[in-house]
């Protein structure tokens, strides 16, 4: 059995909201009803994004282009950790609840990063708590 889905060429593409500031651009590509979100963002050389922690949200980052330094701070013990990754050697960096995190572009060019989150952002009940991570 064949199922034909009717699309017109005008529905092959659609615009997405783009949020930008002095650090770069953030775009949410896909949100599903069952709490999964895919996004991408850019960061200019020296720019830092993040500086927060989550109680329930986990995130996976993949640097596609450029070089990134990820810094982490445990919200209870203040234990710290950092790592550097780049688009030259694809590596998933995961954040977990209870660890504040930030990501800094340590390269000379724009950094491009893909981001997956296990739950959607809810502006009525945000799970993004600001916390400095600087080591």
């Amino acid at each position: 059995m064949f199922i034909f889905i009717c699309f017109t060429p005008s529905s092959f593409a659609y615009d997405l909201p783009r949020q930008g500031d002095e650090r770069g651009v953030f775009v949410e590509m896909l949100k599903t009803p069952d709490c999964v979100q895919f996004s991408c963002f850019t960061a200019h050389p020296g720019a830092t994004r993040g500086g927060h922690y989550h109680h329930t949200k986990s995130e996976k980052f993949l640097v596609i282009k450029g070089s990134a330094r990820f810094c982490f701070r445990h919200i209870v013990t203040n234990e710290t950790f950092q790592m550097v990754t780049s688009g030259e050697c694809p590596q998933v960096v995961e954040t977990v609840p209870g660890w504040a995190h930030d990501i800094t572009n340590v390269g000379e060019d724009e950094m491009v990063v893909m981001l997956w989150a296990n739950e959607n952002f809810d502006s009525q009940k945000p799970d993004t708590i600001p916390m400095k991570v600087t080591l």
Side-chain angles (χ1 to χ4, degrees), residues 91-110:
Q91 186 174 37
V92 171
V93 178
E94 191 161 355
T95 64
V96 294
W99 284 83
H101 51 276
D102 67 22
I103 177 173
T104 301
N105 180 349
V106 294
E108 296 179 8
D109 298 316
E110 179 181 63

Side-chain angles (χ1 to χ4, degrees), residues 56-125:
T56 58
K57 182 184 286 187
S58 294
E59 298 169 310
K60 294 178 186 277
F61 296 86
L62 174 62
V63 176
I64 305 252
K65 176 185 167 200
S67 298
R69 182 183 67 232
F70 287 86
C71 294
F72 301 90
R73 178 178 300 281
H74 193 276
I75 65 171
V76 175
T77 66
N78 273 328
E79 177 185 353
T80 60
F81 176 77
Q82 71 176 343
M83 63 180 299
V84 175
T85 187
S86 75
E88 296 295 316
C89 183
Q91 186 174 37
V92 171
V93 178
E94 191 161 355
T95 64
V96 294
W99 284 83
H101 51 276
D102 67 22
I103 177 173
T104 301
N105 180 349
V106 294
E108 296 179 8
D109 298 316
E110 179 181 63
M111 179 179 69
V112 179
V113 180
M114 288 181 61
L115 167 61
W116 171 89
N118 71 321
E119 58 187 43
N120 291 326
F121 178 76
D122 180 355
S123 62
Q124 300 301 311
K125 187 180 164 190

